[in-house]
Amino acid sequence: VSLIGQATVAAFVTINLPSKGIAVAASVNFVYPCGAGDSMSGTASVDITMASVAIHASASVKYFCGVDVAGDRVFEVTARLDELAVGPTRLKDVTLYADGIYMGGGGGEEGDEEVKPQGLGFIGVLSGSAQVGNKVGASVTLMFDTIRNTVTVAASLDITAGPLQAHLEIVKSSTCDPEDGDHAFGSITLALPFGGKSIT
């Protein structure tokens, strides 16, 4: 059997169980053979709603074939968790964006003083928030770049306890920004029962 030219393949899968609160959908699209300038892609989504558990998520990935130039993307990934709820605890808007970057063949000639990079590097952002009842909320953003070996984390925390409200934000980087630096700041508000006044 011989194949002349390219074949395009598309596949779809759908699972829908309303009585169990489950819905799953997935698709894939690619060409064969997959050469330079071609790509393959896939998507998936999951929705689960039960008595005490709710999950709503989706993801997509795209792969670029025949990449051989350093700095070009090999793949890109997007994943999103709209909601994961278990009882009073909720994760919301958890999102991942990531690119896989080709870094060259590596190695270099014998005697080279500089070793060339090789394999894949990753650049992306992961973010999301969490809520426990109506008392505690938190959000985190993680930015990463394995090519430059940098990681930055930004986090915030909010706590409500009766008349007391507290807010804290922290930013920390593996390479301290010369202008903004690593920093933390916050506030505490206490609502007093005297004419609705408050002290911050």
Side-chain angles (χ1 to χ4, degrees):
V1 177
S2 62
L3 176 66
I4 300 175
Q6 287 183 321
T8 300
V9 179
F12 304 89
V13 176
T14 301
I15 300 173
N16 193 5
L17 304 173
S19 62
K20 297 184 179 296
I22 298 175
V24 178
S27 67
V28 62
N29 191 304
F30 65 92
V31 295
Y32 180 85
C34 189
D38 298 324
S39 63
M40 299 185 288
S41 61
T43 63
S45 64
V46 177
D47 290 282
I48 299 175
T49 303
M50 297 181 179
S52 59
V53 177
I55 301 174
H56 307 288
S58 60
S60 66
V61 60
K62 188 172 185 178
Y63 174 78
F64 301 93
C65 304
V67 174
D68 59 3
V69 177
D72 283 357
R73 285 182 301 171
V74 177
F75 66 83
E76 58 185 27
V77 175
T78 300
R80 181 176 177 84
L81 177 64
D82 293 317
E83 182 182 36
L84 170 59
V86 180
T89 303
R90 294 176 179 269
L91 291 177
K92 298 181 63 178
D93 301 327
V94 179
T95 306
L96 169 67
Y97 300 103
D99 287 339
I101 308 298
Y102 180 62
M103 298 179 63
E109 299 296 332
E110 185 176 353
D112 283 355
E113 294 183 1
E114 181 179 355
V115 178
K116 298 179 180 179
Q118 57 182 325
L120 289 177
F122 303 95
I123 300 174
V125 178
L126 174 64
S127 62
S129 61
Q131 186 78 32
V132 181
N134 58 359
K135 302 295 185 183
V136 179
S139 63
V140 176
T141 299
L142 171 68
M143 294 169 284
F144 57 91
D145 184 338
T146 66
I147 299 174
R148 297 178 177 83
N149 291 321
T150 61
V151 176
T152 301
V153 179
S156 66
L157 178 66
D158 292 281
I159 299 175
T160 301
L164 179 68
Q165 293 182 333
H167 175 75
L168 174 66
E169 292 190 21
I170 300 174
V171 176
K172 172 64 178 175
S173 174
S174 58
T175 56
C176 186
D177 188 284
E179 294 183 3
D180 296 333
D182 296 332
H183 57 272
F185 63 91
S187 65
I188 296 177
T189 301
L190 179 63
L192 299 176
F194 299 111
K197 295 182 180 180
S198 64
I199 294 178
T200 302

